[in-house]
Amino acid sequence: MSETEIKDAPEQAQGTERRLNMIEAINDALDVSMGRDDDVVVMGEDVGYFGGVFRCTAGLQDKYGKTRVFDTPINECGIIAVAVGMGAYGLRPVPEIQFADYIYPGLDQLISEAARLRYRSAGEYVAPMTVRSPFGGGIFGGQTHSQSPEAIFTHVSGLKTVIPATPYDAKGLLISCIEDNDPVIFFEPKRIYNGPFSGYYDKPVQPWKKFDASVVPEGYYKIPLGKARHVTEGDRLTVLAYGTMVHVVEAVCREKGVDADILDLRTLVPLDIEAIEASIERTGRCLIVHEATRTSGFGAELSALVTERCFYHLEAPVERVTGFDTPYPHSLEWAYFPGPIRIGEAIDKILKD
Amino acid sequence: MADRPKGSAEGENRPALSLHVPEPKFRPGDTVDFSHIEVPEAGSMARPDEACDPAEMRDLAYGLVRVLGDDDKAHGPWDPKLDADTLRAMLSHMAMTRAFDERMFRGQRQGKTSFYMKCTGEEATSVSASMALAGDDMVFPSYRQQGILIQRGYPLIEMINQIYSNKGDKLKGRQLPIMYSSREHSFFTISGNLATQTPQAVGWAMASAMKGDSRIAATWVGEGSTAEGDFHSACTFATVYNAPVILNVINNQWAISSFSGFAGAERTTFAARALGYGLAGLRVDGNDALACYAAERWAANRARANAGPTLIEFFTYRAEGHSTSDDPSGYRSAQERSEWPLGDPVMRLKNHLIALGEWDEERQEKMDLEAAEHVKKVTKEAEANGILGHGLHHPFRTMFEDVFEELPWHLREQADQAVHERQTKFPEGLPEA
């Protein structure tokens, strides 16, 4: 599902093909899941009547009623905790945390409770919940509307972490997460809610409907967790990325004419290690790209795994391109963001001999 | 001292501020005088309608609901008027809880397990309260409500297997002793992280209401843990959604070595916290088994009628150390236990039954003896499944199960490693038990 641009794409061609942006795809996934299973409930700050600050839950309360889709107090600990309790009862809650930057008050409930419920009760109690939260920067969100805290969650045994990069994936993955019997953190890259982002922030952004990945089937379909997606197939190097950075790295490789094997990981835990190994055994080179800060970021885990498991295939050191180890700045956003220059130089370094 | 902002000389003539750090009235060696604790007459508190407005309950949040008087008789509108068989069952569950604690504490001292926590002096707050609920009402306990499991008929051997982390342990040796779980008994899995269960109970109650079920939820938390943010979350969500839940606060005066003043008790009661949330608030003599039952029943009826949640403060005293790892003589006067003005819950219920002519010392002695003998017998049975550290635990591979519903590749690899290490250590096969 590459983001091949479609010239003069007719909107809603013949009424059979639907082109949705990521917000609409997520809304559709919630709608489909709620329609299929009465136990799916949606809650969070402003998600009810108003339909969410990003519109992801628009229309759902009207359709399913106030006991299935409702607003909550501004209390992230409470939002996660009552979802754990609802899961213990037998519901399948889908709580929303308005920004990933505000998930921290709910961390104890996520790490100590949701993640460990099945283990500590030997399966008597489970937390089949999906925490949706917009994450990532590139929107002038400053310190508290830009963070990428995925490594906090990938470090927790018992949690799954899923990050879509296209509308098609967003719907299929979200339905899988909701049906999964383990607690899942579903991070939505808000930079690409409306259209893929190349990283060239001075160029206009194209809306999703111009890209094939915005073709979202109606009704029910799933994308399995733990499976990466091949964005482009290539032989010169393997790129491991997820979320917004999938599109940035794809644009840079296209600009540079690099024949890259780009993997959109989609699920960080459990990771598609087979796809990673197979790719690196073919290319012998590996670039890891994420927006989150560098030290102890998820890239460190990826780098370690690649080094441990593909060492004899590697022809160059594994490179990581990440955000800097600073809080996310406001005015210096584009100096912070791992953009085309940083990625391009890393590619040059990997390919230099 | 931190510098004032430059150019700010304004505050120089103001009086110096001082920080108040709470200090308990009595430390080790001190003579204890509890006369400052107000103990109202049994039967003196009004019993409002269960559907009343929380604002009408101010007196109940600052007072103390008591039923059993100094004459060992039941008094006033809160008397639940239980029949003698029910009272004897209540007494027997409390006696069993105490006998169980005694033996398990000793077991820890004998090295059969790593850890134990008694609930001595607080038996009524779990046993009596639990008896006021339906068996399928969901309870979210803290670690000091073993009386609920005993009252609900959870097999003692399951409790001991868990404490010993042996091959019979349903939780497969994963959990610290006393962190029980029994879905069958609607007893939620206990967590070491304090107060997390309180908003979870609210969520369960919300789910029950969302589904049009008739079951309610109840949660227990110590007064020390009410300082956690989760408790505020629980109170807020409970009120906002009118959740059918009971928030039981066990005020046993101590949070390990910190007296209740560090949770805010110097200035108010814990029941009074309910008022600010718009919750019904009751403060109850936690050593009065009948008052505990009556309050919990009141709150259960309220919740069942969709009239709203209730916060109950059980005013009691932690008669023993915090845990087997704690020595209370290091921070409080040993006299506190004997001077505690509300006495002992088991003795008070026993004396009530005797005053009714439904019990006597001889039967009590027999019951205590039988309880001790029963626990001893079951302990022996459990020991046949192994004690901690003696090899009779679950297979290594089980360590990796239940992290997720299915084992992902990385846990499969780690499980293989653990099994490999086991085989390296015992190349001839596992030693016989």
Side-chain angles (χ1 to χ4, degrees), chain B residues 151-170:
Chain B
Q151 187 273 325
R152 289 194 165 182
Y154 188 61
L156 290 190
I157 190 157
E158 298 281 11
M159 295 173 78
I160 305 172
N161 285 339
Q162 197 281 327
I163 289 165
Y164 287 169
S165 272
N166 61 24
K167 68 177 179 189
D169 176 10
K170 234 164 39 110

Side-chain angles (χ1 to χ4, degrees), chain A residues 37-39 41 43 67-68 70-91 108-109 112-126 156-160 180-183 269-274 277 305 309, chain B residues 138 140 170-172 174-175 179 181-197 199-213 215 229-230 232-234 236-237 240-241 398-406 408-410 412-413:
Chain A
D37 183 351
D38 288 345
D39 291 334
V41 295
M43 61 181 164
T67 59
R68 302 260 329 260
F70 53 89
D71 293 316
T72 63
I74 302 173
N75 184 320
E76 289 77 13
C77 162
I79 292 169
I80 305 292
V82 299
V84 171
M86 288 172 183
Y89 179 91
L91 301 188
D108 189 34
Q109 286 287 343
S112 310
E113 302 295 320
R116 298 187 190 153
L117 220 51
R118 179 191 296 279
Y119 191 74
R120 79 170 192 236
S121 71
E124 282 194 333
Y125 295 98
V126 295
V156 176
S157 48
L159 291 182
K160 292 177 177 170
D180 198 279
N181 290 324
D182 292 313
V269 176
L271 187 67
D272 190 349
I273 194 69
E274 285 176 17
E277 286 173 356
L305 284 170
R309 304 171 85 95
Chain B
M138 186 71 183
F140 289 75
K170 234 164 39 110
L171 305 183
K172 303 182 181 175
R174 292 172 185 158
Q175 273 275 51
M179 304 282 183
S181 175
S182 178
R183 191 176 181 92
E184 206 189 324
H185 297 80
S186 297
F187 186 97
F188 192 66
T189 159
I190 297 173
S191 168
N193 296 67
L194 298 176
T196 51
Q197 74 277 14
Q200 292 166 358
V202 175
W204 195 98
M206 288 169 68
S208 187
M210 288 153 82
K211 286 292 184 184
D213 198 342
R215 291 175 292 165
D230 300 58
H232 166 67
S233 302
T236 302
F237 278 70
V240 167
Y241 301 104
T398 63
M399 170 163 59
F400 301 92
E401 292 165 359
D402 297 325
V403 176
F404 297 101
E405 186 174 35
E406 286 162 19
W409 65 269
H410 63 285
R412 277 200 307 275
E413 286 188 1

Side-chain angles (χ1 to χ4, degrees), chain B residues 38-112:
Chain B
E38 236 178 279
V39 182
E41 282 286 300
S44 62
M45 301 299 297
R47 185 183 183 283
D49 187 84
E50 285 141 359
C52 77
D53 185 333
E56 294 166 24
M57 299 186 62
R58 194 180 183 287
D59 291 348
L60 285 145
Y62 287 99
L64 200 64
V65 172
R66 304 182 73 229
V67 173
L68 288 174
D70 294 338
D71 57 359
D72 298 323
K73 296 207 171 111
H75 298 273
W78 285 94
D79 176 5
K81 302 203 184 328
L82 299 175
D83 61 59
D85 283 342
T86 305
L87 291 174
R88 279 187 290 260
M90 189 181 274
L91 184 65
S92 119
H93 295 318
M94 286 166 63
M96 184 60 79
T97 303
R98 189 162 288 187
F100 186 80
D101 276 359
E102 287 300 323
R103 166 117 341 227
M104 291 304 107
F105 187 90
R106 224 169 333 139
Q108 191 276 340
R109 289 296 189 249
Q110 291 164 347
K112 292 173 182 168

Side-chain angles (χ1 to χ4, degrees), chain A residues 122-194:
Chain A
E124 282 194 333
Y125 295 98
V126 295
M129 58 198 268
T130 302
V131 181
R132 289 181 42 245
S133 190
F135 96 129
I139 57 151
F140 279 111
Q143 293 188 25
T144 55
H145 298 79
S146 307
Q147 295 168 38
S148 300
E150 66 273 15
I152 291 174
F153 301 96
T154 57
H155 190 56
V156 176
S157 48
L159 291 182
K160 292 177 177 170
T161 302
V162 176
I163 300 171
T166 68
Y168 177 83
D169 277 7
K171 178 175 173 182
L173 286 169
L174 181 53
I175 291 174
S176 286
C177 292
I178 292 170
E179 291 192 355
D180 198 279
N181 290 324
D182 292 313
V184 188
I185 310 295
F186 188 80
F187 279 138
E188 301 165 3
K190 58 186 169 296
R191 184 65 184 80
I192 55 171
Y193 264 157
N194 290 303

Side-chain angles (χ1 to χ4, degrees), chain A residues 236-317:
Chain A
R236 290 299 309 283
L237 83 158
T238 298
V239 183
L240 307 180
Y242 46 89
T244 303
M245 300 317 294
V246 169
H247 304 284
V248 178
V249 87
E250 189 190 3
V252 174
C253 288
R254 200 188 310 121
E255 287 281 304
K256 292 178 74 78
V258 175
D259 186 22
D261 207 44
I262 301 178
L263 284 177
D264 170 6
L265 298 177
R266 297 201 289 202
T267 305
L268 304 192
V269 176
L271 187 67
D272 190 349
I273 194 69
E274 285 176 17
I276 295 171
E277 286 173 356
S279 175
I280 289 165
E281 281 169 22
R282 203 171 69 247
T283 65
R285 296 168 202 269
C286 179
L287 169 68
I288 295 157
V289 184
H290 63 59
E291 198 182 334
T293 50
R294 185 178 186 84
T295 302
S296 303
F298 191 65
E301 179 65 26
L302 289 171
S303 175
L305 284 170
V306 167
T307 308
E308 287 161 6
R309 304 171 85 95
C310 310
F311 184 79
Y312 295 107
H313 295 279
L314 286 175
E315 291 169 39

